[in-house]
Amino acid sequence: MLARRVLKNVIYNSSSVLIGNLAGLVISIYVARVLKPELFGIYSLAISVAFLLMTFTDLGINATLVRYVAHANIKGDDELVRGYIRSLTKLKALLVLAVASMLFLGSDFIAEQFFSKPELSLPLRIMALYITFFSMAGFINGIFNAFNDFKANFVRALVYEISRATLIFLLLYLGLSVAGALLGYVGASLLSLIALLAMLFRKLRNFLFGKAKRVDWRRIVRFTGYLTVGSITWTVFAYVDSVMIGAMLPSEDVGFYRAAYNIVGAVSGIVALPGVLFPVFVQLESEDLRSAFSRVFRYASIIAFPCTFGLMAIAEPLVKFVYGADYLQAAGVMVVLSILILRSALGFWGALFNAKEMPEYPVYATFFGMILNVVLNYVFILRMGIVGAAIATVMSNAFVWFTLAFLSVKHFGVVVRASYILKPLTSAAVMTALLWYAGFGSLADAILKVLVGAGIYFLLLYVLRGFGREDVEYLRSVLAWK
């Protein structure tokens, strides 16, 4: 049963994301408290620059790998599978080496000339090593995902997060400050890469050695070419705000912004399903595709809206408890950025177009969204500071979301019923209004009221017939896989 396979992959993926987000959040809290806003800003800025540049080590290669290896595997053509894996591995390694070398050699120029922060130079050189190991680990992870195997995500997350937490805590304890925290990232990425390589040779050895077919590079270049622009634009969405804040405002403002973003990102990652469904969308057509899309969108909405509104409601007490009173300026940013949870949970359209070998549509939408994002960030940061950056990021993401939703109706006939959005939205809005009216004292008080709010949400959703017995029976049948 396809639904059972999807659920199994969702569990593996969500478990890996949960581990990563919770560990990342704990690490972020610890580092933020130890380094304080200014040094935490340098730390966050180095990571943002690294991830912004890391997009040039991908250029759509990972998604291309998943798409074409999955397609060749479905056809049972092992030689073609080997051809895709070998060809794309060579291209990936070349890009990784080029980008990491450029960052290492150009760290002084970037730190001094672009950011006017000389203390950023050493962190950037350290992150050049991180780019090398982390990028290759992501590529190997993609090989497993192409075979619809998401267990590798879980293993990678487990190794990476345990080693990252251990190394960062140890190195900061030894007094290595920003450099120590970033070296923890380097060590963790190396260990996770080694773990994935061991799994690869054990489980998929047959697809690494043996005769391989020549691949159609024109087809790959066309597909990858569009994804190149797409990967760059989405990375810009994620990190250009932090980079622009670093260039236009003091370092501590980067720290406040990333503190809020880290919490929102942790929640967003847990409810994100589009990546898991990519290999599934490759296999479905016509009515089966529309039916699967509609059902998964509905269930994702039920989860996404209360998470979004609930996080808005507890932003201030959560920031104060997690980071301390020094970071209270992050609360307003968190309220705005919480809307991005909806984009993560309900952004299935990009995966849908890519699965059907039509990457140009997400690329067009994200390209114009990227331009909008940069322009709005420049205008709003000057007028409203870090809250303005959050507003710019949300607005540009919303533009892309609605554009792709419109295009999916035209090309695939995928129509989302208004009730799938309105019912959970209404229930979540009422829940949030009650939470705000009740107010919050301590974090324990906030947690208790959020739990009560969750009960109110599901009660309202049931009354509005947004979730009922039929859904319970369906989920029970899906959960009963062997």
Side-chain angles (χ1 to χ4, degrees):
M1 183 178 179
L2 182 60
R4 293 174 184 172
R5 191 194 321 157
V6 171
L7 180 62
K8 187 175 181 180
N9 288 338
V10 167
I11 291 173
Y12 276 131
N13 189 69
S14 297
S15 298
S16 63
V17 170
L18 181 62
I19 291 171
N21 288 342
L22 290 180
L25 192 57
V26 171
I27 290 169
S28 177
I29 294 167
Y30 177 74
V31 174
R33 286 180 173 271
V34 171
L35 297 182
K36 301 302 181 183
E38 184 174 357
L39 289 180
F40 183 66
I42 295 295
Y43 161 89
S44 300
L45 189 55
I47 293 175
S48 297
V49 171
F51 274 94
L52 191 60
L53 292 177
M54 204 180 299
T55 188
F56 296 100
T57 70
D58 181 16
L59 301 183
I61 293 174
N62 288 11
T64 301
L65 173 80
V66 174
R67 200 275 172 205
Y68 286 103
V69 170
H71 188 260
N73 186 52
I74 290 171
K75 295 193 302 181
D77 193 339
D78 292 355
E79 292 183 7
L80 186 57
V81 169
R82 295 188 195 104
Y84 283 126
I85 291 176
R86 292 179 192 177
S87 299
L88 292 172
T89 298
K90 294 175 184 177
L91 181 58
K92 179 74 173 185
L94 179 63
L95 290 174
V96 169
L97 181 61
V99 172
S101 298
M102 289 172 58
L103 179 58
F104 188 87
L105 297 174
S107 58
D108 289 340
F109 176 83
I110 296 172
E112 296 174 10
Q113 301 301 318
F114 187 81
F115 292 105
S116 299
K117 296 175 175 64
E119 65 274 24
L120 184 62
S121 181
L122 176 59
L124 290 180
R125 284 198 292 272
I126 294 172
M127 293 311 286
L129 296 174
Y130 176 71
I131 286 175
T132 303
F133 303 136
F134 191 83
S135 297
M136 293 308 301
F139 179 80
I140 295 173
N141 208 141
I143 296 176
F144 286 100
N145 292 168
F147 289 94
N148 220 9
D149 180 357
F150 284 79
K151 186 177 181 180
N153 298 46
F154 178 77
V155 173
R156 179 191 180 192
L158 197 64
V159 174
Y160 178 79
E161 298 305 340
I162 291 176
S163 55
R164 182 170 64 143
T166 303
L167 290 170
I168 288 177
F169 291 156
L170 176 62
L171 293 172
L172 283 180
Y173 177 77
L174 294 174
L176 295 183
S177 191
V178 175
L182 296 178
L183 283 171
Y185 277 79
V186 175
S189 61
L190 175 59
L191 290 173
S192 62
L193 174 59
I194 293 171
L196 285 174
L197 284 171
M199 285 184 63
L200 184 67
F201 281 98
R202 188 179 73 251
K203 297 181 67 174
L204 299 175
R205 185 182 184 86
N206 181 55
F207 296 101
L208 303 179
F209 303 101
K211 188 177 180 180
K213 286 184 178 179
R214 293 174 62 96
V215 300
D216 184 353
W217 276 106
R218 288 181 299 178
R219 189 180 183 189
I220 290 177
V221 168
R222 178 186 178 275
F223 188 80
T224 307
Y226 284 113
L227 290 181
T228 294
V229 180
S231 64
I232 291 173
T233 54
W234 280 124
T235 305
V236 168
F237 273 129
Y239 294 100
V240 74
D241 41 11
S242 299
V243 172
M244 292 182 71
I245 291 170
M248 299 167 69
L249 299 175
S251 298
E252 52 264 32
D253 284 336
V254 182
F256 296 139
Y257 188 85
R258 293 309 302 184
Y261 204 107
N262 288 340
I263 293 178
V264 173
V267 178
S268 298
I270 294 171
V271 299
L273 295 177
V276 175
L277 293 171
F278 179 55
V280 175
F281 287 157
V282 172
Q283 305 172 43
L284 299 179
E285 298 290 345
S286 303
E287 189 58 36
D288 289 336
L289 178 64
R290 288 189 285 271
S291 177
F293 189 98
S294 180
R295 187 179 289 275
V296 76
F297 187 95
R298 179 166 170 251
Y299 290 143
S301 296
I302 291 172
I303 298 172
F305 280 101
C307 289
T308 300
F309 284 83
L311 191 58
M312 288 180 178
I314 65 169
E316 186 170 328
L318 184 61
V319 168
K320 187 174 182 180
F321 174 81
V322 168
Y323 294 110
D326 291 340
Y327 285 86
L328 275 177
Q329 290 186 51
V333 176
M334 187 184 297
V335 170
V336 178
L337 289 179
S338 295
I339 300 173
L340 294 180
I341 295 172
L342 297 176
R343 173 67 184 82
S344 296
L346 306 178
F348 298 104
W349 289 282
L352 180 59
F353 279 106
N354 289 339
K356 296 309 173 185
E357 210 169 358
M358 300 170 66
E360 60 270 27
Y361 293 99
V363 167
Y364 295 148
T366 54
F367 178 75
F368 289 109
M370 178 189 68
I371 295 175
L372 180 65
N373 190 26
V374 173
V375 172
L376 291 178
N377 263 292
Y378 180 78
V379 174
F380 289 170
I381 288 174
L382 289 176
R383 295 186 178 185
M384 293 178 280
I386 55 178
V387 173
I391 293 172
T393 299
V394 168
M395 289 179 65
S396 54
N397 271 274
F399 167 81
V400 175
W401 194 89
F402 283 111
T403 300
L404 291 178
F406 173 78
L407 291 173
S408 70
V409 175
K410 178 180 179 181
H411 290 280
F412 307 112
V414 174
V415 179
V416 176
R417 295 182 185 177
S419 61
Y420 291 176
I421 295 177
L422 293 178
K423 289 179 180 180
L425 172 61
T426 301
S427 301
V430 173
M431 173 197 76
T432 305
L434 293 174
L435 289 176
W436 261 323
Y437 178 78
F440 299 103
S442 63
L443 183 68
D445 176 60
I447 292 174
L448 177 61
K449 289 177 179 176
V450 166
L451 292 175
V452 173
I456 294 172
Y457 167 79
F458 282 106
L459 178 61
L460 288 171
L461 192 64
Y462 180 79
V463 171
L464 294 173
R465 297 183 179 179
F467 191 85
R469 181 175 298 177
E470 177 187 348
D471 300 298
V472 174
E473 292 300 323
Y474 175 77
L475 292 176
R476 182 181 297 168
S477 68
V478 170
L479 286 168
W481 88 81
K482 296 182 181 180

